Amino acid sequence: MASDDTTSNQPLVDSDRQRRDAAAVTTNPRPRDDVAFEDVTDSNFVYEFGGPIGAASMIVGFPLLMAYQFLCVYDNKGHFLLPESLSDFFPWAGRMFERYWDIAGPTWTGAKIYLGFTFFMVGLAYVCPGPVMYGYKLPSLNGQRLAYNCNALWSWWIAVITSLVLHFTGVFRLTEIIDNLGPIMTVAMIWSFFLAGALYAITAIKGKKHRASGNVIYDFFMGVCLNPRIGSLDMKLFTELRIPWPILFFISLSCAFKQYEQIGYVTPESAFMVLAHWLYSNACNKGEECVITSWDIFYELESWYLLFWNLAGVPFSYCYTSIYLLKNGPMEFSTFWVAMCYILLLVGYFFWDTGNSQRNRFRMHWNNTFIKRNAFPQLPMSFINDAKFIQTRHGNKLLIDGWYAYARKPHYTADLVMALTWGLIAGFGSFFPYFYLTFFLIVLVHRVGRDDARCARKYGADWDEYMRVVPWKFIPYIY
């Protein structure tokens, strides 16, 4: 939550104070200097994710899981690949490795596509115009506020237009992405390991580790660098928004173009995935200025798990529905089923986009960094005038208005609805279109539990009051 310049002895549900203080909030995106520190030096250290053993398991397990799922979806039409018997396990593993290496081993083509796009986006991050926004005051930087050049929207649209020009002129056909998806994915995994290792080593050499446990494997997994930057480029913000979601969109677009080449048209199901991934990627990039006050940016360390998942996991694990539809299409679903999926997607998107806008713009308003932008699409109810909140003794404000008057995490509920539609549009013939939903649920349970525990420590009785005012976590009157 954003910090305020005042504290009180009692928690307040207050909209009058917001009206009174609104005159002090201008359109200047530079924040007030008297806003309280945001704590990024949590001293209540506990091992997460199962400690060093859990961290090591995931460092090894996630790449293996991605390789296995790729073979199942890309090479076996979404069916599980299993050994014939227990005694066949190791021979089966050998066959799986050989097949993966044959169709997904790293190639120069895969490297040129993935790294070419990555460095193209890096270049755009340095030169594109955009508003300069300021994050929270950080104790780790003696109260300094980091500046963020929020030009992701320009970068995103330039990347989309450039890719379409390259495709239709024949310079680079977008179908090359799906044709080389395995090598591209492998290069992405190698690249994420390289960046995580380099970042850990450089931070250790400089003696600037943050919240380190002392266990090398665990610290490599969880990260030790809070605000890695290359000049004006913030690595956390860049890798969270400008690589994973655009690549995911381009994979789905590539599948749609490939389907057109194969059957002469794009099915409604494949068009659905292009729309779904365009909406998600566009929203992430048009709302970049809202992300800088998020937990990921101000608190999380840049780590192997963030780098691996953003650079490789998200784009190459959330695309299974698009690949499944290409390999198994055209599907024969009823018009009602397809229309229901489109309606659920758009309804879920509306609540997800506006919910995230409400909470982040509420923070930005009180951090004096709120600016109005006309990025498409701008939806109604994205900003709450005179929003009600609980004023905590800590100094922060807890939003209890808009969608957040009905549930504490409505944006997650909407996100889950969208994730569900990504599976439903493919029917029930395979588990893999539902991998994103399954994985997201697991991550959500862990993240919400960790967030609630931290907020309970941070706000004490004020958090109890907040939970009394807004008792429902995801769905009003249900859960």
Side-chain angles (χ1 to χ4, degrees), residues 105 153 224 269 283 288 378 386 395 476:
L153 187 62
V224 292
E269 295 84 5
E288 181 186 28
Q378 287 297 309
D386 300 327

Side-chain angles (χ1 to χ4, degrees), residues 140-156:
S140 59
L141 297 177
N142 297 316
Q144 178 185 350
R145 296 180 185 273
L146 294 176
Y148 298 84
N149 187 13
C150 295
N151 56 13
L153 187 62
W154 272 94
S155 299
W156 157 244

Side-chain angles (χ1 to χ4, degrees), residues 18-47:
Q18 182 165 344
R19 285 191 291 270
R20 185 194 68 196
D21 294 343
V25 180
T26 70
T27 56
N28 181 359
R30 182 179 291 276
R32 297 192 299 266
D33 288 333
D34 54 356
V35 175
F37 281 106
E38 185 58 42
D39 181 19
V40 295
T41 56
D42 193 342
S43 60
N44 295 285
F45 175 81
V46 293
Y47 276 127

Side-chain angles (χ1 to χ4, degrees), residues 124-353:
L124 291 177
Y126 282 111
V127 301
C128 285
V132 176
M133 308 295 294
Y134 293 82
Y136 290 135
K137 294 167 66 177
L138 302 175
S140 59
L141 297 177
N142 297 316
Q144 178 185 350
R145 296 180 185 273
L146 294 176
Y148 298 84
N149 187 13
C150 295
N151 56 13
L153 187 62
W154 272 94
S155 299
W156 157 244
W157 278 104
I158 289 174
V160 170
I161 293 170
T162 301
S163 69
L164 292 175
V165 170
L166 293 176
H167 176 80
F168 287 110
T169 58
V171 175
F172 175 75
R173 301 285 291 176
L174 289 176
T175 50
E176 289 292 309
I177 296 174
I178 189 62
D179 290 341
N180 294 276
L181 190 64
I184 297 170
M185 181 181 75
T186 303
V187 169
M189 290 194 284
I190 294 171
W191 179 244
S192 65
F193 269 87
F194 169 76
L195 284 183
L199 184 60
Y200 179 89
I202 292 171
T203 305
I205 291 170
K206 289 184 175 181
K208 295 184 177 180
K209 291 183 180 180
H210 289 269
R211 302 198 301 270
S213 70
N215 183 283
V216 174
I217 294 176
Y218 183 79
D219 289 343
F220 172 73
F221 176 81
M222 291 295 293
V224 292
C225 186
L226 182 59
N227 303 111
R229 292 197 155 206
I230 304 173
S232 62
L233 179 68
D234 185 87
M235 281 186 61
K236 278 198 295 185
L237 190 61
F238 177 85
T239 56
E240 181 164 323
L241 299 181
R242 305 193 192 203
I243 298 298
W245 303 108
I247 290 180
L248 179 62
F249 165 75
F250 285 124
I251 291 173
S252 290
L253 186 61
S254 177
C255 289
F257 280 133
K258 189 69 175 180
Q259 187 178 64
Y260 185 84
E261 286 186 358
Q262 292 177 346
I263 65 175
Y265 64 96
V266 176
T267 65
E269 295 84 5
S270 293
F272 174 94
M273 292 312 302
V274 173
L275 173 63
H277 291 163
W278 180 85
L279 285 171
Y280 213 105
S281 183
N282 185 72
C284 288
N285 287 283
K286 80 182 177 76
E288 181 186 28
E289 73 277 4
C290 297
V291 180
I292 62 176
T293 56
S294 68
W295 171 280
D296 286 354
I297 301 303
F298 79 78
Y299 185 82
E300 293 281 25
L301 299 164
E302 186 72 301
S303 58
W304 176 86
Y305 90 86
L306 281 183
L307 284 168
F308 182 85
W309 206 249
N310 283 327
L311 300 181
V314 167
F316 300 102
S317 294
Y318 296 175
C319 63
Y320 295 144
T321 301
S322 299
I323 301 171
Y324 178 81
L325 291 171
L326 174 65
K327 298 292 184 178
N328 293 275
M331 313 301 283
E332 296 182 354
F333 299 128
S334 68
T335 301
F336 170 80
W337 183 262
V338 174
M340 180 196 70
C341 289
Y342 272 90
I343 292 170
L344 278 176
L345 171 69
L346 295 176
V347 171
Y349 175 79
F350 175 81
F351 284 100
W352 176 73
D353 189 311

